[in-house]
Amino acid sequence: MADPCGLVAPRCRARHLAPRLGLAAFLAVAGCDTKSTPTSPSSPIVPTAPVASSAEAVLVGAGDISMCGEPGASVTATLLDTLSGTVFTAGDNAYMHGSAADFQCYQRTWGRHRGRTYATPGNHDYESAGASAYFEYFGERAGPYGLGYYSYDLAAWHVISLNSNVPMGEGSPQLAWLRADLQRSRVPCVAAIIHHPLVSSGPNGDNPQVRELWRALVDAGADIVISGHDHLYERHARIDQEGRPATRGARLFTVGTGGATLYPSSSLRSTTEAKVVAWGVIRFTLLPGTYRWDFHTVDGIVDAGADLCH
């Protein structure tokens, strides 16, 4: 039988999963739609050597993680136990206030993966002054202390961690650094992690304050942007900095499913390709010129696909 999704997406399970999931867990998965595209400020740098040098690397994680008293972070930490690779966080690592006490709850779950984790901050991390507990907990795995933005190479991919809780508009040090970092990089494929999603059908809605960072990423041909903030999973088609469909845009994955209380949501954006409300983690398999993704919950993989990088 011919592959219904074409050669670019040999494993598009999403359209077959509704019968296996409860309505609360599976709100919408809109087909396969894995269309491919043929086609000098000071620099915060990662304080370690590149974390992989082979042709294939794995990046796995989520945002909105540890909430003391909630079982979700234990659920997703157990999923991580079964998945190799470099772990990322997409912000709001320790609820409710990003305090040292809150990070003790993180330590009891995702903390066992701290040695392979690169972190990104969220707004709840900044409820402690200057996100001090966040920077102290993650140390060098959060980039230069106090900045919250940095980059590293992962096999054939350049990975950028951005900070949507500090100035990021025109004239900001972060935007100037991002442009310079993208210009310097010789790694062809780019993934970025930023807590606030540009667009979202979740209850927090859109975040236009990140638009200039998105513009810099799209102008440089970035491929993947990973966010959190809304406590659900949502995959969008490639979009530009205005949130409009664009073949040369970046594909947005909102993965606010790391363990905090989930947000019920039934609406969809015109760019939404998949939406799931369940605790889980996303895994990216990064290859030269291409990537695959699969979103894991306790029910198994509930969204998967593949695409080319620019």
Side-chain angles (χ1 to χ4, degrees):
M1 179 177 178
D3 176 6
C5 301
L7 295 176
V8 175
R11 297 169 62 208
C12 292
R13 299 190 179 94
R15 62 174 58 173
H16 307 295
L17 292 168
R20 293 174 44 199
L21 300 177
L23 182 60
F26 187 94
L27 290 180
V29 177
C32 297
D33 202 349
T34 51
K35 296 172 184 170
S36 60
T37 305
T39 55
S40 178
S42 60
S43 172
I45 57 172
V46 69
T48 57
V51 293
S53 58
S54 65
E56 177 178 310
V58 171
L59 186 65
V60 58
D64 304 275
I65 300 167
S66 176
M67 182 176 283
C68 296
E70 278 279 8
S74 294
V75 170
T76 53
T78 300
L79 291 172
L80 288 178
D81 292 342
T82 68
L83 299 170
S84 62
T86 297
V87 174
F88 72 87
T89 75
D92 283 1
N93 301 277
Y95 285 85
M96 291 292 295
H97 306 295
S99 66
D102 291 333
F103 270 99
Q104 288 305 305
C105 294
Y106 182 102
Q107 174 61 25
R108 290 194 287 271
T109 55
W110 281 46
R112 61 182 177 267
H113 300 287
R114 181 162 54 162
R116 62 182 179 123
T117 296
Y118 285 90
T120 298
N123 51 289
H124 279 275
D125 299 308
Y126 271 82
E127 290 196 16
S128 290
S132 57
Y134 163 85
F135 287 108
E136 288 164 8
Y137 179 81
F138 286 110
E140 65 177 15
R141 291 307 185 101
Y145 190 97
L147 288 183
Y149 49 91
Y150 62 99
S151 65
Y152 56 95
D153 290 341
L154 196 59
W157 283 70
H158 189 59
V159 182
I160 304 170
S161 175
L162 295 168
N163 188 349
S164 54
N165 309 280
V166 300
M168 51 188 155
E170 196 62 53
S172 67
Q174 180 171 202
L175 182 58
W177 170 81
L178 175 60
R179 288 169 173 162
D181 181 77
L182 289 165
Q183 187 173 24
R184 278 192 304 269
S185 176
R186 295 296 178 263
V187 179
C189 302
V190 176
I193 305 163
I194 183 170
H195 180 64
H196 292 83
L198 177 66
V199 296
S200 174
S201 66
N204 286 323
D206 296 355
N207 296 276
Q209 69 271 25
V210 305
R211 183 167 291 133
E212 292 308 313
L213 295 180
W214 260 84
R215 189 187 309 277
L217 291 167
V218 170
D219 286 349
D223 304 284
I224 299 169
V225 179
I226 308 162
S227 294
H229 199 48
D230 270 324
H231 300 181
L232 46 78
Y233 172 79
E234 185 170 21
R235 170 170 57 84
H236 292 267
R238 288 183 175 270
I239 56 176
D240 64 13
Q241 69 276 1
E242 303 297 332
R244 300 171 303 203
T247 56
R248 296 291 296 175
R251 187 182 294 278
L252 172 61
F253 295 83
T254 296
V255 195
T257 55
T261 303
L262 296 166
Y263 290 170
S265 179
S266 58
S267 64
L268 296 174
R269 296 293 292 262
S270 62
T271 55
T272 302
E273 294 181 336
K275 190 172 187 181
V276 181
V277 177
W279 287 318
V281 298
I282 192 167
R283 176 176 62 179
F284 294 96
T285 303
L286 306 176
L287 299 152
T290 188
Y291 65 95
R292 302 191 302 270
W293 71 84
D294 36 81
F295 180 62
H296 295 245
T297 72
V298 293
D299 294 315
I301 296 172
V302 297
D303 182 46
D307 204 349
L308 305 177
C309 80
H310 291 132

